[in-house]
Amino acid sequence: MPFVNVKLVDGVFTESEKHAMAAALTDVMVKFEGSEAFREVVWVLIEELHTDGWHIGGEPFRGPLSLMDSLGRSKAVYESIDGHPVTRPELAAAAPVIEK
């Protein structure tokens, strides 16, 4: 039996949206299995976590502001990399850890 676990920020989606999400995820699992009989054994668990448990880039989650800050930091790091590293060691050399 497949078990799909979705973790969301508390209060973002309505109850009906969460039900629709679970139904759509079940449809995806049935599609990939290839048999309608599979539908009855797909389990979907949607967990909602309070915002104080979420962090992005090591910073507390503050909603859309956090997402925009994180995207800005990602863009700055991307733009600072010289070349196009394709392996983990190449990326580590191109964007080394910054000591704080």
Side-chain angles (χ1 to χ4, degrees):
M1 110 189 129
F3 177 75
V4 179
N5 185 221
V6 179
K7 296 182 187 292
L8 302 170
V9 173
D10 185 32
V12 173
F13 294 94
T14 67
E15 183 177 345
S16 61
E17 288 171 330
K18 289 182 282 186
H19 292 318
M21 185 184 305
L25 290 167
T26 299
D27 290 343
V28 168
M29 296 303 294
V30 169
K31 175 185 173 191
F32 280 91
E33 173 60 24
S35 170
E36 188 60 36
F38 193 62
R39 183 176 304 280
E40 300 309 315
V41 296
V42 175
W43 290 37
V44 177
L45 173 63
I46 297 175
E47 295 181 276
E48 291 186 286
L49 304 174
H50 192 272
T51 56
D52 65 4
W54 289 86
H55 295 78
I56 298 176
E59 298 293 326
F61 179 76
R62 298 177 319 278
L65 177 60
S66 291
L67 297 174
M68 296 306 294
D69 288 348
S70 179
L71 289 171
R73 287 190 305 272
S74 294
K75 181 177 186 242
V77 169
Y78 174 81
E79 290 172 347
S80 74
I81 294 172
D82 185 30
H84 297 285
V86 294
T87 66
R88 189 189 55 76
E90 289 173 349
L91 183 60
V97 175
I98 299 170
E99 297 294 327
K100 292 184 180 183

